[in-house]
Amino acid sequence: MINAKELILKRLPKYFLGNLTGTVVDTLVLWVFSHFVFHNYVGQVIVSPIISFECAVLVNFLMCYNITWKDRITAKTVGAFFRHYGAYNASCTGGFLIKMGILLLIQHLTQWDVVICNLLALCVSGTFNFLMNEFVVFKKRKEISHGVDYNG
């Protein structure tokens, strides 16, 4: 029998691969929108990152839903898909806000380059997002017995 720690350790590489894929999508979409679609500051610095973030969230969610936590999806319905996606998107948004807070704090305290601060902050927010997925978004549901107990 596989215990919970082993399952988490099996999920981590899948989660990391999904997030790496999302990071590539985020970077590519950000580059396309900020260089070819929007030609003003608000479009390039505010709208483009929001669009690229949401594209990455969708890709990451699809990886989590279909690969990393697929064993926890008990009903493959449209409603279940969107309930999971809504919870996933909310947790990613929370993770993004945590990342930004930590990035700004580290940068303020150290004056290090923003890329270094971002990488450090991603470690914390990535851990937060993994835990949110493991214990909230894709939490293991208790098995419900539908049988009748005639002994009691």
Side-chain angles (χ1 to χ4, degrees):
M1 175 124 193
I2 297 175
N3 66 29
K5 186 187 282 186
E6 290 173 0
L7 280 176
I8 288 174
L9 291 176
K10 285 185 175 192
R11 289 188 207 284
L12 275 172
K14 294 175 187 177
Y15 177 76
F16 179 77
L17 179 63
N19 279 342
L20 187 60
T21 304
T23 300
V24 170
V25 167
D26 188 359
T27 303
L28 181 62
V29 171
L30 178 61
W31 179 74
V32 167
F33 275 80
S34 65
H35 284 82
F36 301 110
V37 177
F38 295 108
H39 302 289
N40 60 39
Y41 179 82
V42 171
Q44 291 175 336
V45 178
I46 297 173
V47 178
S48 294
I50 291 170
I51 293 169
S52 68
F53 171 76
E54 283 300 326
C55 289
V57 166
L58 179 60
V59 167
N60 288 346
F61 172 73
L62 292 172
M63 298 282 288
C64 288
Y65 189 83
N66 292 304
I67 298 171
T68 309
W69 281 280
K70 74 178 181 180
D71 60 311
R72 301 242 181 117
I73 308 299
T74 55
K76 292 264 184 174
T77 65
V78 173
F81 178 88
F82 283 108
R83 277 191 303 279
H84 279 96
Y85 182 63
Y88 184 85
N89 202 338
S91 76
C92 285
T93 300
F96 176 77
L97 295 173
I98 289 169
K99 180 194 86 154
M100 288 304 297
I102 292 170
L103 182 155
L104 293 170
L105 179 64
I106 293 171
Q107 207 284 323
H108 177 74
L109 294 174
T110 65
Q111 301 301 308
W112 291 345
D113 185 83
V114 70
V115 174
I116 301 298
C117 298
N118 187 60
L119 290 173
L120 292 171
L122 279 172
C123 292
V124 176
S125 66
T127 301
F128 169 81
N129 281 331
F130 179 83
L131 294 172
M132 287 296 292
N133 287 327
E134 179 67 21
F135 298 110
V136 178
V137 178
F138 298 104
K139 73 179 175 182
K140 186 170 182 159
R141 307 284 183 214
K142 291 183 181 178
E143 303 257 341
I144 298 173
S145 175
H146 294 291
V148 178
D149 183 8
Y150 293 105
N151 296 324

